[in-house]
Amino acid sequence: MQKTTQIKHLYDNNVLNICLDTLEKDKQALVFVNTKNSAEAEAERISKKIKPAEKEKQKLEELSQKALKTLDKPTKQCQRLALCFRHGVAFHHAGLHSQQRELVEDNFRNGMIKIICSTPSLALGINLPAFRVIIRDLKRFSGPRGMTWIPVLEFEQFCGRAGRPDFNDTFGEAICIAQSESEKENIIDNYIEGETEEILSKLAVEPILRTYVLSLIATDFANSKKTLMDFFKKTFYAHQFKDIQKLSEIIDRILNKLAEWEFISIKIDKLEATLLGARVSQLYLDPYTAHYLITCLKRAKDKLLRDISFLQMVSYTLELRPLLNVRVREYELVENKAAQYETSILSLEPSMFEPEYEEYIKSIKTALFFQEWINEKDDEILLEEFNVRPGESRAKLERADWLIYASQELSRLIKLHGLISELAKIRLRLKYGAKEELLPLLKLKSVGRTRARKLFNNKIKTIEDVKNVDFTQLSQLIGRATSLSIKKQVGQDLREEKVVVKKGTRKGQTSLKKYDKKKKEKSK
DNA sequence: AAGCGAATTATGTAGACAGCATGTC
DNA sequence: CTACATAATTCGCTT
């Protein structure tokens, strides 16, 4: 065991004190906290007390600028990260844009960043060791149970990040922060001397079990109740579950549902997947969700279809949860929107007194969030209005895209061909975050919603317009390199005729001009 | 079987300004 | 009285 380390008590914040001590030792630290907000706040607090070394200032400033330039328009989060970067500090969580996440990780590895305040997301999967690990929060909010102690396994994950053998660390330190003497004893008993809890099988969750049963039938691994049971008896789940009778009942229930939803047929104990069931399994959809989507799609013919129809449809699935929170003061507003769009909503509205109603209202808000995105609102507005960070909106959009794609496939199978093109449109719009009018332009490579909008606003609205527009004018709008590329895509290769391309130049014409100007001014 | 951080609201403080009293011509 | 700073309180969110 190590001898007790004395840390100078400079501030009334032990995490900060330990961080400062770590810097004195010329080492790095990871701080684990339980929420994204805390990670940002703690990082900011620490950064305010750190003065970076003179020789590192410039590089940190560059880094800071990179954080601001990740998005077209920096969000509050970007500015916060940039502020921390200037002091060699960063925060890390799932809400961070992937490019910024990379910036944080890379620059911690190369030593520019000394302290990262992070949510547990960093301990899971990403290998980013530090000399010191500071575990500020050992409790985390968990559903109806309030603040609960984190699993011992997770504590060990945190500790496992301590020590960098590649930096010749022969040891690492993991430090827990206790609020009181009694909590200190608790921590020692539970975590340091405690036993790791049993690992629970993921199969125990019903949606996963459902998906599995269908998949086993669809792939012909099991074609009867008996073979199905034989398979599950061998799994870890059954081993834990022990009560085979109960498991059998659950499987029976699932089989009945699958048959009712027409994903399988049951003929004298012969199980067979239907065409639809096989596709559901291929799409890796939870059969429950697949059935829900199908009922919504069938309802579409009686509804006034709008963007919100499909957006709400996917928002109301289990796959998109947790949904966006509806604040008290906006509750009424969202309810009004729900009423306003009533004729367009494809899912059934639960009664106001059912517990599901809350989720329904949340699904409306989530749909409104997607709607803003496909109406070209940027990350900053999404963060301000919906409190969704860039990293999180990406994750949500990806799930929505997958479900819309699945809906498209399902429409084909249940012969609702009229919906396919509508779904395809929404899908593209989700991908690019653009209004429908931009879709023709978005077919071009290296044209995203920003460039497409610029072109559109300058009366270049279709591929035909792109063909006809003068190259110089196009260059002025979106830069020469891009113009060359898209002109080529519409069948006009101008590379050798009119334009000379400078070798090694990757930036657009405008930035080159500016650079030249500055040079000239200096030489005068 | 909560607790943090942010937002909002209350409270405190200093300085600007106008009105009034007083003094001088 | 107003404008601003600071303290106290409430609000919202958590994976």
Side-chain angles (χ1 to χ4, degrees), chain A residues 34-35 141 327:
Chain A
N34 60 7
T35 69
F141 185 85
R327 297 174 187 139

mmCIF file of all heavy atoms in Angstrom, chain A residues 34-35 141 327, chain C residues 12-15:
data_model
loop_
_atom_site.group_PDB
_atom_site.id
_atom_site.type_symbol
_atom_site.label_atom_id
_atom_site.label_comp_id
_atom_site.label_asym_id
_atom_site.label_seq_id
_atom_site.Cartn_x
_atom_site.Cartn_y
_atom_site.Cartn_z
ATOM 1 N N ASN A 34 -20.800 12.439 -12.680
ATOM 2 C CA ASN A 34 -21.953 11.653 -13.120
ATOM 3 C C ASN A 34 -22.867 12.280 -14.173
ATOM 4 O O ASN A 34 -23.777 11.621 -14.644
ATOM 5 C CB ASN A 34 -22.764 11.190 -11.910
ATOM 6 C CG ASN A 34 -23.271 12.364 -11.098
ATOM 7 O OD1 ASN A 34 -23.132 13.503 -11.504
ATOM 8 N ND2 ASN A 34 -23.849 12.078 -9.955
ATOM 9 N N THR A 35 -22.646 13.524 -14.508
ATOM 10 C CA THR A 35 -23.492 14.092 -15.570
ATOM 11 C C THR A 35 -22.654 14.925 -16.543
ATOM 12 O O THR A 35 -21.551 15.361 -16.218
ATOM 13 C CB THR A 35 -24.603 15.017 -15.032
ATOM 14 O OG1 THR A 35 -23.990 16.193 -14.511
ATOM 15 C CG2 THR A 35 -25.445 14.347 -13.971
ATOM 16 N N PHE A 141 -27.816 9.038 -10.833
ATOM 17 C CA PHE A 141 -29.274 8.981 -10.872
ATOM 18 C C PHE A 141 -29.709 7.781 -11.708
ATOM 19 O O PHE A 141 -29.187 7.559 -12.797
ATOM 20 C CB PHE A 141 -29.832 10.254 -11.485
ATOM 21 C CG PHE A 141 -31.320 10.303 -11.452
ATOM 22 C CD1 PHE A 141 -31.967 10.773 -10.314
ATOM 23 C CD2 PHE A 141 -32.067 9.882 -12.524
ATOM 24 C CE1 PHE A 141 -33.343 10.826 -10.269
ATOM 25 C CE2 PHE A 141 -33.441 9.927 -12.479
ATOM 26 C CZ PHE A 141 -34.085 10.391 -11.354
ATOM 27 N N ARG A 327 -40.360 20.426 -20.350
ATOM 28 C CA ARG A 327 -40.327 21.226 -19.121
ATOM 29 C C ARG A 327 -41.729 21.666 -18.731
ATOM 30 O O ARG A 327 -42.620 21.751 -19.587
ATOM 31 C CB ARG A 327 -39.465 22.471 -19.322
ATOM 32 C CG ARG A 327 -38.038 22.148 -19.605
ATOM 33 C CD ARG A 327 -37.306 23.435 -19.935
ATOM 34 N NE ARG A 327 -35.968 23.154 -20.367
ATOM 35 C CZ ARG A 327 -35.363 23.775 -21.362
ATOM 36 N NH1 ARG A 327 -36.004 24.723 -22.020
ATOM 37 N NH2 ARG A 327 -34.137 23.478 -21.690
ATOM 38 P P DG C 12 -38.775 24.092 -14.591
ATOM 39 O OP1 DG C 12 -39.220 24.775 -15.822
ATOM 40 O OP2 DG C 12 -39.704 23.274 -13.791
ATOM 41 O "O5'" DG C 12 -37.507 23.206 -14.950
ATOM 42 C "C5'" DG C 12 -36.388 23.819 -15.576
ATOM 43 C "C4'" DG C 12 -35.329 22.774 -15.793
ATOM 44 O "O4'" DG C 12 -34.667 22.475 -14.538
ATOM 45 C "C3'" DG C 12 -35.851 21.446 -16.315
ATOM 46 O "O3'" DG C 12 -34.923 21.048 -17.283
ATOM 47 C "C2'" DG C 12 -35.848 20.533 -15.085
ATOM 48 C "C1'" DG C 12 -34.642 21.069 -14.347
ATOM 49 N N9 DG C 12 -34.580 20.887 -12.899
ATOM 50 C C8 DG C 12 -35.612 20.918 -11.991
ATOM 51 N N7 DG C 12 -35.210 20.744 -10.750
ATOM 52 C C5 DG C 12 -33.837 20.597 -10.859
ATOM 53 C C6 DG C 12 -32.851 20.388 -9.866
ATOM 54 O O6 DG C 12 -33.007 20.295 -8.648
ATOM 55 N N1 DG C 12 -31.565 20.294 -10.404
ATOM 56 C C2 DG C 12 -31.271 20.397 -11.730
ATOM 57 N N2 DG C 12 -29.990 20.274 -12.073
ATOM 58 N N3 DG C 12 -32.182 20.597 -12.687
ATOM 59 C C4 DG C 12 -33.435 20.681 -12.174
ATOM 60 P P DC C 13 -35.296 20.069 -18.435
ATOM 61 O OP1 DC C 13 -35.075 20.835 -19.670
ATOM 62 O OP2 DC C 13 -36.584 19.394 -18.188
ATOM 63 O "O5'" DC C 13 -34.137 18.992 -18.313
ATOM 64 C "C5'" DC C 13 -32.773 19.406 -18.238
ATOM 65 C "C4'" DC C 13 -32.014 18.429 -17.398
ATOM 66 O "O4'" DC C 13 -32.396 18.568 -16.024
ATOM 67 C "C3'" DC C 13 -32.294 16.969 -17.761
ATOM 68 O "O3'" DC C 13 -31.127 16.447 -18.362
ATOM 69 C "C2'" DC C 13 -32.630 16.298 -16.433
ATOM 70 C "C1'" DC C 13 -32.164 17.325 -15.405
ATOM 71 N N1 DC C 13 -32.900 17.302 -14.114
ATOM 72 C C2 DC C 13 -32.156 17.192 -12.945
ATOM 73 O O2 DC C 13 -30.933 17.089 -13.022
ATOM 74 N N3 DC C 13 -32.795 17.188 -11.745
ATOM 75 C C4 DC C 13 -34.127 17.304 -11.703
ATOM 76 N N4 DC C 13 -34.697 17.302 -10.503
ATOM 77 C C5 DC C 13 -34.910 17.426 -12.888
ATOM 78 C C6 DC C 13 -34.264 17.427 -14.068
ATOM 79 P P DT C 14 -31.188 15.078 -19.128
ATOM 80 O OP1 DT C 14 -30.532 15.304 -20.405
ATOM 81 O OP2 DT C 14 -32.539 14.504 -19.047
ATOM 82 O "O5'" DT C 14 -30.238 14.177 -18.229
ATOM 83 C "C5'" DT C 14 -29.008 14.695 -17.717
ATOM 84 C "C4'" DT C 14 -28.594 13.847 -16.534
ATOM 85 O "O4'" DT C 14 -29.429 14.170 -15.407
ATOM 86 C "C3'" DT C 14 -28.761 12.355 -16.777
ATOM 87 O "O3'" DT C 14 -27.556 11.687 -16.463
ATOM 88 C "C2'" DT C 14 -29.876 11.935 -15.837
ATOM 89 C "C1'" DT C 14 -29.772 12.986 -14.746
ATOM 90 N N1 DT C 14 -31.023 13.240 -14.020
ATOM 91 C C2 DT C 14 -30.943 13.426 -12.661
ATOM 92 O O2 DT C 14 -29.905 13.369 -12.036
ATOM 93 N N3 DT C 14 -32.147 13.675 -12.048
ATOM 94 C C4 DT C 14 -33.386 13.757 -12.650
ATOM 95 O O4 DT C 14 -34.373 13.987 -11.979
ATOM 96 C C5 DT C 14 -33.403 13.561 -14.069
ATOM 97 C C7 DT C 14 -34.706 13.631 -14.812
ATOM 98 C C6 DT C 14 -32.227 13.315 -14.685
ATOM 99 P P DT C 15 -26.509 11.642 -17.652
ATOM 100 O OP1 DT C 15 -25.250 12.142 -17.117
ATOM 101 O OP2 DT C 15 -27.051 12.192 -18.887
ATOM 102 O "O5'" DT C 15 -26.495 10.079 -17.917
ATOM 103 C "C5'" DT C 15 -25.605 9.171 -17.366
ATOM 104 C "C4'" DT C 15 -26.001 7.843 -17.946
ATOM 105 O "O4'" DT C 15 -27.333 7.529 -17.448
ATOM 106 C "C3'" DT C 15 -26.111 7.852 -19.475
ATOM 107 O "O3'" DT C 15 -25.405 6.715 -19.979
ATOM 108 C "C2'" DT C 15 -27.584 7.707 -19.772
ATOM 109 C "C1'" DT C 15 -28.103 7.007 -18.515
ATOM 110 N N1 DT C 15 -29.521 7.319 -18.217
ATOM 111 C C2 DT C 15 -30.396 6.272 -17.992
ATOM 112 O O2 DT C 15 -30.049 5.107 -18.045
ATOM 113 N N3 DT C 15 -31.678 6.656 -17.717
ATOM 114 C C4 DT C 15 -32.173 7.937 -17.637
ATOM 115 O O4 DT C 15 -33.338 8.149 -17.379
ATOM 116 C C5 DT C 15 -31.209 8.977 -17.867
ATOM 117 C C7 DT C 15 -31.620 10.401 -17.808
ATOM 118 C C6 DT C 15 -29.955 8.626 -18.141
#
